[in-house]
Amino acid sequence: MTTVEHFEIVIVGGGIAGASTAWALAKNGHEVAVVEREASLAAHSTGRSAAQFLSSYSGSVNRELSAASLPFLEGDAGGWAEHSLLAPRAVLWVAPEGGEQRLGAIAAANEAIGTNCDAIGVDGSRALCPVLDPSWVHAGVVEHGGFDIDVAELHQAYVRAARGAGATVKRHSGVRRMARRGSGWQLDTDGPAIRADIVVNAAGAWADEIAEMAGAAPLGLTPYRRTIFTFTSRYPSEHWPLVIGADESFYFKPEGAGQFLGSPADEHPDEPSDAKPRELDVAAGIEAINQATNLDIRSIRSAWAGLRTFSPDRDPVVGFDRDIAGFFWCAGQGGTGIQTSPAIAALTAWLIGNGSSAIFEHADLGSLAPRLSPERFTAAA
Ligand SMILES: Cc1cc2nc3c(=O)[nH]c(=O)nc-3n(C[C@H](O)[C@H](O)[C@H](O)COP(=O)(O)OP(=O)(O)OC[C@H]3O[C@@H](n4cnc5c(N)ncnc54)[C@H](O)[C@@H]3O)c2cc1C
């Protein structure tokens, strides 16, 4: 006889979106299961990020979600993290001559959200990062209040908190089919079949595929591949900022003594997949960093690629599908899914709980809900 397990809510995907929503929903008293296809919950985008909290990054909705999330991250995920989740890391945007307009826009974005930032010249930029090449760098904007995020610990804190509140987490449980059964869903997985009232689609790059399985219209989510590589250097660099080209052609930051993480900040449309780095992209990143600095990178230690999945307007999609009952979107987190995860999870729990109980006092959930709703893409259809 086939085994069928029953839960109130099943979350598809065990990355940061699935783990954080499991925490928020279980904390609100829902009976939750997370189903993840891989052996490791953070095998895809969540385990491949640059692990940075950057207040001014992305559009205004993401900046609001990031600001709302910061107190939770500073509070070590409500105490569920076993050590500090954030370590201060300033952010230095730099440009060669002609880049003043971009730096001005970055300073304006910071001012709009009240982040402390300073416009600085060549000397100020080199005081923060002495390897910047004085014949290249012309000006910079330093953004205070950035952080390195311990992503693995944050993800584990969510999983611990979710389990502590009664959630079930299943690995090796890829969802292969789903269909409406009565007033709920039946999901056929690599493990036992599952019945649930509500499906939360937290499948990252695969979110449109999961929607199609559920009979919902895809929203046009696009995974974009981004490359990261690591390299060593003799410079004592632990306290240097994250340095980003103002035109976003590169970034690099220290990763412990003598170690760096670098990226061409590339964005190539890709398929939902186990993304792999391409040599040309690594070479482009090395060239851009070598042009702006005296780091003289000649070889790398490792490289990886991950997918940043964006909706058509590049804001996340959080809310019930307009046409398919019991199908909830939690997708399109793009390049800020780690730093916005507390607020997005809180919004998810608030919407699924019909606005009954906010687990999180930092976000204006009522104002965020319509701006993140999937209906913004389907209303005209
Ligand atoms: C190079 C890079 C740098 C980044 N830097 C930052 C940064 O500095 N700060 C920041 O905040 N964000 C950053 N991001 C973005 C962040 O990593 C993502 O927004 C976030 O990880 C998305 O989380 P997710 O849970 O939606 O996706 P994922 O982590 O990809 O999780 C989705 C999961 O769904 C599972 N799944 C898919 N289909 C099925 C199925 N049929 N059945 C079961 N499971 C399924 C997948 O196996 C996967 O584990 C970066 C991303 C990349 C790639």
Side-chain angles (χ1 to χ4, degrees):
M1 203 176 77
T2 326
T3 325
V4 180
E5 297 180 336
H6 293 252
F7 297 93
E8 181 195 353
I9 301 171
V10 63
I11 299 169
V12 184
I16 203 86
S20 56
T21 53
W23 152 70
L25 287 162
K27 186 167 192 272
N28 254 8
H30 296 285
E31 193 197 355
V32 177
V34 177
V35 288
E36 166 57 51
R37 182 176 46 210
E38 308 286 354
S40 158
L41 298 174
H44 291 289
S45 305
T46 298
R48 306 181 189 202
S49 86
Q52 183 73 23
F53 187 100
L54 216 172
S55 310
S56 69
Y57 202 53
S58 190
S60 59
V61 169
N62 273 313
R63 286 187 219 137
E64 203 175 313
L65 290 164
S66 303
S69 296
L70 185 56
F72 179 81
L73 299 173
E74 284 176 322
D76 297 331
W80 282 95
E82 288 177 351
H83 52 259
S84 231
L85 292 170
L86 301 180
R89 169 94 47 219
V91 181
L92 174 60
W93 299 84
V94 285
E97 197 157 5
E100 296 79 3
Q101 211 177 341
R102 281 179 188 269
L103 288 173
I106 290 160
N110 273 285
E111 275 154 27
I113 51 171
T115 307
N116 185 5
C117 78
D118 294 310
I120 53 179
V122 185
D123 292 346
S125 301
R126 295 190 75 239
L128 291 170
C129 181
V131 288
L132 283 165
D133 186 339
S135 69
W136 182 90
V137 66
H138 180 69
V141 167
V142 59
E143 186 176 325
H144 307 286
F147 299 92
D148 289 335
I149 311 173
D150 187 334
V151 178
E153 184 57 24
L154 173 62
H155 184 261
Q156 275 310 302
Y158 285 134
V159 172
R160 279 194 289 273
R163 284 199 171 117
T168 300
V169 178
K170 293 165 155 292
R171 299 156 209 260
H172 300 291
S173 292
V175 176
R176 297 181 171 272
R177 272 177 301 277
M178 66 176 94
R180 295 289 296 167
R181 286 277 183 278
S183 62
W185 292 96
Q186 173 150 335
L187 289 82
D188 294 335
T189 78
D190 297 331
I194 294 177
R195 293 238 175 130
D197 301 336
I198 294 172
V199 171
V200 173
N201 179 7
W206 291 266
D208 264 350
E209 288 185 3
I210 294 294
E212 285 184 306
M213 263 188 218
L219 298 181
L221 296 167
T222 308
Y224 290 93
R225 191 179 68 252
R226 174 158 288 189
T227 313
I228 293 194
F229 52 90
T230 61
F231 55 97
T232 52
S233 145
R234 63 193 157 83
Y235 293 97
S237 54
E238 278 171 68
H239 301 296
W240 290 1
L242 164 69
V243 178
I244 312 181
D247 61 355
E248 286 198 53
S249 58
F250 69 87
Y251 61 77
F252 62 90
K253 71 171 181 174
E255 281 254 291
Q259 301 270 358
F260 285 88
L261 171 157
S263 173
D266 48 339
E267 195 167 291
H268 308 285
D270 209 331
E271 297 299 314
S273 60
D274 180 6
K276 299 284 183 234
R278 314 267 166 107
E279 272 180 35
L280 272 179
D281 297 323
V282 172
I286 291 173
E287 192 182 330
I289 295 171
N290 279 346
Q291 196 188 12
T293 69
N294 300 321
L295 278 166
D296 192 23
I297 309 165
R298 293 176 187 204
S299 61
I300 60 166
R301 284 171 63 95
S302 63
W304 66 88
L307 299 174
R308 299 155 83 241
T309 299
F310 289 94
S311 73
D313 64 10
R314 294 179 76 94
D315 286 337
V317 185
V318 184
F320 278 107
D321 191 83
R322 184 190 64 174
D323 300 317
I324 304 295
F327 187 75
F328 191 96
W329 291 85
C330 182
Q333 291 87 343
T336 49
I338 310 293
Q339 67 182 49
T340 57
S341 58
I344 288 181
L347 178 61
T348 298
W350 187 73
L351 287 168
I352 289 180
N354 254 331
S356 57
S357 118
I359 47 152
F360 191 79
E361 69 276 22
H362 311 295
D364 180 357
L365 301 175
S367 127
L368 283 165
R371 289 182 285 154
L372 271 65
S373 167
E375 295 202 11
R376 70 189 192 273
F377 302 118
T378 50

